[in-house]
Amino acid sequence: MNTHICLSDRPEHLNRWRQAFPTGTVVATLSALSRTTGATTLVWLHAENLPQAHIDETLLEVRELFPDIRIVVLSSTPSQKEALLALNVGASGYCHAQSTPQMLQQVATVVSNGGLWIGPQLMTRVMAAAGRIFAPEPDHPGLKQLTPRENEVALAVGRGASNREVAEQLDITERTVKAHLGAIFEKLGIRDRLQLMLFLSRSGSSS
Amino acid sequence: MNTHICLSDRPEHLNRWRQAFPTGTVVATLSALSRTTGATTLVWLHAENLPQAHIDETLLEVRELFPDIRIVVLSSTPSQKEALLALNVGASGYCHAQSTPQMLQQVATVVSNGGLWIGPQLMTRVMAAAGRIFAPEPDHPGLKQLTPRENEVALAVGRGASNREVAEQLDITERTVKAHLGAIFEKLGIRDRLQLMLFLSRSGSSS
DNA sequence: TTCCTCCCTGTACTTTGGTACAATTGTTTT
DNA sequence: AAAACAATTGTACCAAAGTACAGGGAGGAA
């Protein structure tokens, strides 16, 4: 049996949600939420006119109260930007506050079973983005022919570090950094650190 | 009532799956799958010793047969790379073929309700990747506050051009390029062309 | 042992990048 | 009209990047 709690600053706009979860509870403040008893399985966050910047803060506070809880954010003005924000701080779902009761129940089912619910458009974008980042890894005639040390230097430069900074990070002389870079340039057939950055960004230098 | 069909090249390794879905059907070939009757809600793809390259092809063929079906890929040797591959061609889920029946049922619930099921580790990576791509957008008084000319210079530098090359491309003096770059650096609060490249690559100069 | 690669460093020099100070011209805003 | 901004260029200087030439130590392979 699932228990649903909705933290909302606009309870009057929750008709759909009440329909979907007649036994659910609506609270207006975090402290009310913290006084909740019983096994809550899902917390819904409805931040209608809170500025976006506060959604993630609220969400993090909820997660402090209930570390293992799954959280779905309801938005009256959904945007991919906002969705990413929510998901990045641990939300398991993000959907329109005026979704049909059926839809809301579906979201609840997915999320409470450990799934992630985001809109299909956003899903497309996320997967495309992920694909761009992970797919390029396999090929890579480039970085593989670099020695370990050269690789470190290349990655540091890829992060935008200057020769001096690389030297400090690797605890070597700036001169040595230059030596490594020279070897890198020759091996990769490029002319300078700018081309190296392009090379890296095209070759999936993720994490 | 859900109907589950599993396309597998190693039916003998599907004990767990059979436990989870006693009423499910196991088929060995695509043509057998195509002869299926009734309302199938979920197709499971178990490609144990097919090379990775063929998983996506098989998946696409299944999608041709059942355009609206949801597909979950079962892997005996799960990898994030393979997961991405599957998800990129339209799979709704990806999990270990030897997951517990409970887990498999959970995955089925999530996926058949429109959710996406990927492992928590992969989820973390995907969200991080997505965050890196989408998050920088909000704080983006960046490129918009550049003058048209500055924008051209910035883009040229983003392609790895030197000051001299930019000057030639825009038919202006190298000195002017420096002037524009100086303005760009100050407006964006960065120190040099390397940071500019990072800024650009993080600000969705994709597409 | 000898050869080779990797890693490290030095001096010196050239090229490129970035900043300071300054000025001209044209357009837009107030 | 005056002020503000955009685009352009100049001289000069300093900092950073890259290259040339050269050498030493550690470790594996022939």
Side-chain angles (χ1 to χ4, degrees):
Chain A
M1 175 57 188
N2 284 345
T3 305
H4 296 272
I5 297 187
C6 186
L7 173 60
S8 173
D9 60 343
R10 277 294 171 85
E12 65 271 26
H13 290 172
L14 282 180
N15 299 333
R16 288 283 178 79
W17 189 87
R18 289 178 198 279
Q19 271 182 271
F21 312 106
T23 62
T25 312
V26 177
V27 297
T29 63
L30 260 174
S31 53
L33 180 62
S34 66
R35 285 192 298 274
T36 300
T37 58
T40 303
T41 51
L42 250 181
V43 170
W44 302 71
L45 265 188
H46 181 223
E48 181 159 322
N49 38 22
L50 276 178
Q52 283 190 0
H54 291 181
I55 290 180
D56 52 349
E57 294 177 14
T58 308
L59 201 150
L60 288 173
E61 292 181 77
V62 173
R63 290 190 63 187
E64 271 185 41
L65 287 173
F66 307 98
D68 298 324
I69 211 69
R70 300 192 185 280
I71 303 171
V72 176
V73 172
L74 294 171
S75 173
S76 299
T77 56
S79 73
Q80 296 188 341
K81 199 172 69 181
E82 191 183 51
L84 261 305
L85 194 68
L87 295 168
N88 265 326
V89 290
S92 295
Y94 180 89
C95 66
H96 199 295
Q98 297 308 312
S99 303
T100 63
Q102 293 78 23
M103 178 67 80
L104 290 172
Q105 286 167 351
Q106 205 168 34
V107 173
T109 305
V110 168
V111 170
S112 55
N113 279 287
L116 181 79
W117 209 99
I118 57 183
Q121 320 83 10
L122 181 57
M123 178 58 68
T124 305
R125 288 189 68 188
V126 169
M127 293 318 299
R132 246 180 293 144
I133 287 186
F134 295 110
E137 280 189 55
D139 36 40
H140 225 317
L143 294 187
K144 294 207 183 304
Q145 69 188 1
L146 299 183
T147 68
R149 206 55 166 167
E150 287 165 359
N151 221 308
E152 291 182 74
V153 173
L155 289 180
V157 170
R159 281 181 234 115
S162 65
N163 285 346
R164 184 194 308 252
E165 288 168 334
V166 177
E168 286 170 6
Q169 286 171 30
L170 301 187
D171 198 33
I172 53 179
T173 315
E174 201 177 328
R175 176 65 191 85
T176 309
V177 175
K178 288 184 176 181
H180 286 311
L181 273 177
I184 293 169
F185 295 156
E186 190 176 6
K187 286 183 181 177
L188 301 185
I190 54 183
R191 68 179 183 203
D192 56 24
R193 61 209 299 117
L194 290 181
Q195 302 297 322
L196 175 57
M197 290 196 81
L198 286 178
F199 182 91
L200 290 174
S201 62
R202 273 197 294 262
S203 303
S205 61
S206 59
S207 77
Chain B
M1 175 57 188
N2 285 346
T3 306
H4 297 272
I5 297 187
C6 186
L7 173 59
S8 173
D9 62 342
R10 278 294 169 86
E12 66 272 25
H13 289 172
L14 283 180
N15 299 333
R16 288 284 178 77
W17 189 87
R18 288 178 199 278
Q19 271 183 269
F21 311 107
T23 63
T25 313
V26 176
V27 297
T29 64
L30 259 175
S31 53
L33 180 61
S34 66
R35 285 192 299 274
T36 300
T37 58
T40 303
T41 50
L42 250 182
V43 170
W44 302 72
L45 265 189
H46 180 224
E48 179 157 325
N49 38 20
L50 275 179
Q52 282 189 3
H54 290 182
I55 290 180
D56 52 349
E57 294 176 13
T58 309
L59 201 149
L60 288 173
E61 293 182 76
V62 173
R63 290 190 64 188
E64 272 185 38
L65 288 171
F66 307 98
D68 298 324
I69 212 69
R70 300 192 185 281
I71 304 170
V72 176
V73 173
L74 293 170
S75 174
S76 298
T77 55
S79 73
Q80 295 189 342
K81 200 172 68 181
E82 192 183 51
L84 261 303
L85 195 68
L87 295 169
N88 264 326
V89 290
S92 295
Y94 180 89
C95 66
H96 200 294
Q98 298 307 313
S99 302
T100 63
Q102 293 76 24
M103 178 67 79
L104 290 173
Q105 286 167 350
Q106 203 169 37
V107 173
T109 305
V110 168
V111 171
S112 55
N113 280 288
L116 180 79
W117 208 100
I118 58 183
Q121 321 82 9
L122 180 57
M123 176 61 68
T124 304
R125 287 190 67 187
V126 168
M127 292 319 299
R132 249 178 289 147
I133 288 184
F134 297 110
E137 279 188 55
D139 47 22
H140 208 328
L143 292 186
K144 297 203 186 304
Q145 72 188 14
L146 298 184
T147 68
R149 205 56 164 168
E150 286 165 0
N151 221 309
E152 290 182 74
V153 174
L155 289 180
V157 170
R159 280 181 236 115
S162 66
N163 286 346
R164 183 193 311 248
E165 289 169 332
V166 176
E168 287 169 6
Q169 287 170 29
L170 301 187
D171 197 35
I172 52 179
T173 314
E174 201 177 327
R175 177 63 191 84
T176 310
V177 175
K178 288 185 176 181
H180 286 311
L181 274 176
I184 292 169
F185 295 155
E186 189 176 6
K187 286 182 180 176
L188 302 185
I190 56 183
R191 67 179 184 204
D192 56 27
R193 60 210 299 117
L194 290 181
Q195 301 299 321
L196 176 57
M197 290 196 82
L198 287 178
F199 182 92
L200 290 173
S201 62
R202 271 200 296 258
S203 300
S205 61
S206 52
S207 84

